[in-house]
Amino acid sequence: MNITIHSGNWEELDVDALAVPLAKGSTVDAALDARLGGLPGELIDTGEFTGKAGACTLIHRVPDSAVKRVFLIGLGEAPMARHWFAAAGQAVRAAAKAKCRSVALLLPPDACARLAAEGAGFGQHRPSGYKEQKPWPVEEVILLTTGDQSIADAGRITAECVNLARELVEIPANDLGPEEFATRAAREGEAAGLEVEVLDENDLRELGAGALLAVGQGSVRPPRMVRLSWNPEDPVNDDHLFLVGKGITFDTGGLSLKPANSMEKMKYDMGGAATMIGAITAIGRLQPRVRVTCLLAMAENMPSGTATRPGDIITAMNGKTIEVINTDAEGRLVLADALTYANRLGATHIINAATLTGAVSVALGSVRVALLGNHKSLGDGIALRGRECGERYWPLPMDADYLEPMRGDMSDLRNAGADRKAGTITAAKFLEQFVEGTPWAHLDIAGTAWFDKAQPNAGKGASGIAVRTLVRLAEGWGS
Ligand code: BES
Ligand code: MN
Ligand code: ZN
């Protein structure tokens, strides 16, 4: 799907469809309204189209033109980045449904072409590989606005990498265990021009990655750690940003087995790693002037005769001992070693993403990503980049008191508290014990990595949350 910018008039184009994003209370461009015999104005006056976010009203044909469909798309009352992003995706999906080959988006002259291009690309994603599908009909998306083509290209590349993250999350665990995941991550990393390293179980043993190995030991599919590095020729400073991802290819809970209905979705438990793969491959292709390394901790959490038992005491890579109270609190264990490894490799800043706790859905639902950490300006930077691209974050507190439930009786730490209170925060306090004071932010994406129902701009499935934020953060690093 090509995404181009055209700063002229839609009448100059030969397109199948026109999409017109409209805020509540605004009107259609007068020339277009006239060409449609005043129909859009009438639809608005009668309240048939209100501009409500996610609304889409279809008009058939513009007389004496090639245009077969016009979509009026609601932006809501006070359109923000996420509304523009969503409207672009919705337009592309509506065009595809109507079997249009090309669609032009009527945007304001100063519109954010980057966001619209990202949104359009995002709208193209469909689950793939397991069900027969008709070919995708939309070949051309034209953004009617000002701006250089390179902006649309960056948006398209970013969206392709978001969609890679989504595709990876949607692959079922029978086809994506740690080894397959590592191989695929390495392949994608190479294609994006990154330095690639895959550590197998023997390498991990040598490194003393006792926590990652303990999580993986119940599975016949051994753990992996993957490193993907972007080394720019001319970095703005000496910073080295690390992107660390939880890559549990399936989370049964281990011997602390999950009930069936809580287990169903757990192929998505590598969503943090998928997000980081999306971000680092976009970074490799867009080449921002900051050093970035991605570390992916991959394991399958299974119950078996070789599985870690509740009560087992394990030793993490940094030498800290951890009593495994609950084998279902495995994400923090694999991340513990990846965070230690990030520091060993010289991290100056660390961001990790993980589908870490069910509690984050209780706190924030599927609306916002929980943002925790030890460094105010890093967290603020993430939230700011999120606002710019329409991904929402919310900070949670990190008082020292929240570490108390995680202190061990017989070990340095325990991986779960006695109750579920503040589960998202206590998990983050556990992670903090492995960052060695390096500026660090933790994104708990358990509530936001998966759309439980179809959205105007996406089907049911993986959301690719946080990829776009992290790409922007890297692009703007040092400014
Ligand atoms: N992958 C889950 C987090 C999760 C749970 C996501 C439910 C979506 C829905 C994680 O590994 C987990 O199981 N966390 C436990 C931790 C608890 C045992 C301390 C949880 O949140 O219940
Ligand atoms: Mn778990
Ligand atoms: Zn998990």
Side-chain angles (χ1 to χ4, degrees):
M1 201 172 75
N2 295 317
I3 304 177
T4 53
I5 295 182
H6 181 80
S7 55
N9 190 281
W10 66 270
E11 298 264 22
E12 297 159 6
L13 304 168
D14 181 26
V15 285
D16 291 344
L18 273 181
V20 190
L22 285 174
K24 261 189 184 167
S26 65
T27 51
V28 176
D29 161 76
L32 177 62
D33 197 49
R35 287 286 269 109
L36 288 163
L39 188 54
E42 212 172 287
L43 287 167
I44 292 167
D45 289 343
T46 58
E48 198 169 325
F49 178 82
T50 61
K52 186 174 163 242
C56 181
T57 295
L58 167 63
I59 298 171
H60 283 270
R61 289 200 286 115
V62 181
D64 307 315
S65 84
V67 176
K68 294 188 290 194
R69 296 280 193 283
V70 177
F71 305 108
L72 306 181
I73 293 177
L75 288 169
E77 208 140 345
M80 304 205 296
R82 67 192 156 89
H83 300 104
W84 289 101
F85 173 80
Q90 191 176 2
V92 166
R93 277 166 64 86
K97 202 169 161 213
K99 301 198 169 53
C100 296
R101 203 197 66 83
S102 54
V103 55
L105 267 64
L106 216 58
L107 301 169
D110 55 345
C112 184
R114 171 72 181 259
L115 208 52
E118 286 179 3
F122 186 89
Q124 193 191 3
H125 174 78
R126 296 184 297 180
S128 63
Y130 296 90
K131 196 175 170 181
E132 204 182 331
Q133 248 171 2
K134 300 202 181 95
W136 180 258
V138 184
E139 287 169 28
E140 303 286 339
V141 178
I142 299 118
L143 310 175
L144 290 162
T145 185
T146 51
D148 197 84
Q149 179 57 32
S150 64
I151 300 171
D153 292 341
R156 178 184 46 77
I157 288 169
T158 305
E160 284 171 5
C161 296
V162 174
N163 291 346
L164 167 63
R166 297 167 77 190
E167 180 199 333
L168 291 170
V169 171
E170 287 166 356
I171 299 176
N174 55 332
D175 284 342
L176 196 88
E179 190 179 350
E180 295 86 355
F181 193 20
T183 303
R184 180 71 193 272
R187 191 178 98 206
E188 298 294 344
E190 256 152 42
L194 306 170
E195 190 184 308
V196 175
E197 184 184 20
V198 178
L199 306 178
D200 67 14
E201 64 273 35
N202 299 317
D203 302 322
L204 291 168
R205 218 168 288 124
E206 262 172 49
L207 274 171
L212 174 55
L213 287 165
V215 171
Q217 75 186 36
S219 172
V220 294
R221 305 157 98 183
R224 292 285 182 270
M225 178 113 76
V226 176
R227 177 176 67 81
L228 305 174
S229 296
W230 163 241
N231 288 303
E233 268 171 29
D234 184 22
V236 285
N237 56 30
D238 288 338
D239 289 349
H240 193 168
L241 171 63
F242 272 64
L243 304 177
V244 175
K246 168 178 172 181
I248 299 296
T249 55
F250 195 76
D251 183 11
T252 65
L255 288 171
S256 312
L257 197 66
K258 286 182 185 293
N261 56 4
S262 310
M263 205 190 290
E264 190 194 349
K265 198 169 97 178
M266 285 301 146
K267 69 173 182 181
Y268 102 129
D269 212 19
M270 33 60 75
T275 286
M276 294 321 196
I277 293 170
I280 194 83
T281 52
I283 287 166
R285 293 172 67 184
L286 296 171
Q287 313 199 335
R289 291 173 54 198
V290 55
R291 261 205 303 168
V292 187
T293 287
C294 173
L295 288 179
L296 310 162
M298 301 170 174
E300 184 178 51
N301 189 20
M302 297 291 276
S304 77
T306 61
T308 295
R309 294 153 288 254
D312 283 2
I313 297 178
I314 62 175
T315 305
M317 194 188 291
N318 69 351
K320 287 194 178 159
T321 55
I322 306 163
E323 185 176 1
V324 180
I325 299 296
N326 188 322
T327 62
D328 198 10
E330 85 297 338
R332 61 199 72 184
L333 299 176
V334 303
L335 287 172
D337 282 345
L339 292 168
T340 300
Y341 195 47
N343 272 312
R344 285 212 188 149
L345 297 180
T348 64
H349 298 76
I350 305 176
I351 303 172
N352 73 256
T355 50
L356 201 64
T357 63
V360 77
S361 299
V362 178
L364 302 174
S366 307
V367 178
R368 284 180 185 261
V369 175
L371 172 61
L372 305 97
N374 63 1
H375 197 265
K376 173 129 173 41
S377 70
L378 180 60
D380 288 350
I382 292 168
L384 170 70
R385 296 310 180 192
R387 277 194 296 282
E388 288 173 0
C389 71
E391 294 186 318
R392 288 178 282 179
Y393 296 82
W394 199 256
L396 291 177
M398 285 286 277
D399 304 69
D401 312 59
Y402 291 112
L403 181 62
E404 288 311 314
M406 312 309 291
R407 290 192 194 279
D409 311 314
M410 328 207 149
S411 55
D412 296 323
L413 292 164
R414 39 191 277 151
N415 78 331
D419 57 34
R420 309 187 80 83
K421 286 183 183 172
T424 301
I425 304 174
T426 54
K429 291 304 284 187
F430 180 95
L431 295 180
E432 190 181 24
Q433 306 315 302
F434 298 87
V435 301
E436 297 165 21
T438 303
W440 157 75
H442 157 54
L443 315 178
D444 194 332
I445 59 170
T448 44
W450 188 267
F451 297 126
D452 289 320
K453 12 179 234 258
Q455 310 289 307
N457 65 338
K460 181 176 163 175
S463 70
I465 189 71
V467 173
R468 294 186 302 118
T469 301
L470 296 171
V471 172
R472 264 186 183 63
L473 187 74
E475 287 179 310
W477 198 263
S479 63

